Amino acid sequence: MLTIPNSVLVALELLRERKFSIFVKRCAGVIYERRTTYGLRRDLRVPFAAPKAKIPIAVREFRAADAATFFDTDRTVLDRKEKIELAVRYAHYQARIDRCYVAVDQRDGRPCYCQWLMGPDQNAKIQAFFPRTWFPVLNRDEALLENAYTPAAYRGNGIMPSAMALIAERAADLGCRYVMTFVESDNVPSLRGCRKSGFAPDLLRTEHRLFLGSLRLRRFSRLPAGFRPAGFE
Ligand SMILES: CC(C)(COP(=O)(O)OP(=O)(O)OC[C@H]1O[C@@H](n2cnc3c(N)ncnc32)[C@H](O)[C@@H]1OP(=O)(O)O)[C@@H](O)C(=O)NCCC(=O)NCCS
């Protein structure tokens, strides 16, 4: 069967959504593109009260039985972006990198959010699984919180801020004081969720991509204290 490359699907989607300026930028990006991602950090020694979600939730570790609820959804009803979001989480799950947490909707017990809290004991797996230099190597007192995902039907209930704030606190069990997370600069819902769960911008990851991403150069730089990206307010 003929498979259409993702870049073509993205181009068609942008035209359909009449996002012409992004389309032009993407076309130019075939040759060169610069992507920026914020590294946000929370210091667990600074007291922070987790906000409440609009529905009752409880956080616990991911169980094997959750995979069926979370990943075995009918993907034919998902749009292209959602299919990718889910596939990324499934790949992380299959890579067996500890520790995935879920928030459970207490009204029916269904998992309604997932996120991985990885400690420095996972450094080797993190560096092997994610693209090279995607994340810094964790220091002994640093944990990494990644791949937040709220299924579309649950979005807008404040689950991310509440669950992320609570999951971050579990880093203390790993002997970590600091928790880091990385969010693309244009992912406003996620940036807002991070702010509401006690995270503040700390690092900037700049990626230079050449020739459709066949050559990539990444580097980290520290953001000035008090820096607030657009959409973070
Ligand atoms: C980012 C994400 C985890 C946020 O989860 P959430 O539980 O919906 O979080 P919130 O309820 O706090 O909503 C976040 C923002 O989404 C927007 N939002 C509200 N209702 C929404 C809906 N029905 N659908 C989509 N977004 C909605 C709002 O801007 C909201 O911010 P605000 O309430 O401060 O204005 C979720 O959108 C998601 O899974 N996205 C795809 C994966 C992703 O981007 N993960 C983060 C990677 S760093």
Side-chain angles (χ1 to χ4, degrees), residues 70 84-85 87-93 97 100-101 113-118 129-130 134-135 144-150 160 181-182 190:
F70 226 80
I84 294 176
E85 295 293 357
V88 166
R89 274 71 191 178
Y90 188 57
H92 196 158
Y93 166 68
I97 308 179
C100 184
Y101 286 88
Y113 179 81
C114 77
Q115 196 166 27
W116 277 259
L117 178 70
M118 299 165 279
F129 176 67
F130 291 97
W134 195 248
F135 296 120
L144 180 65
L145 196 48
E146 276 300 318
N147 268 332
Y149 180 74
T150 305
M160 177 190 181
T181 190
F182 286 80
S190 185

Side-chain angles (χ1 to χ4, degrees), residues 19 36 50 59 179-180 217 224 232:
K19 294 180 177 164
T36 50
V59 160
V179 187
M180 285 194 284
L217 182 72
F232 192 74

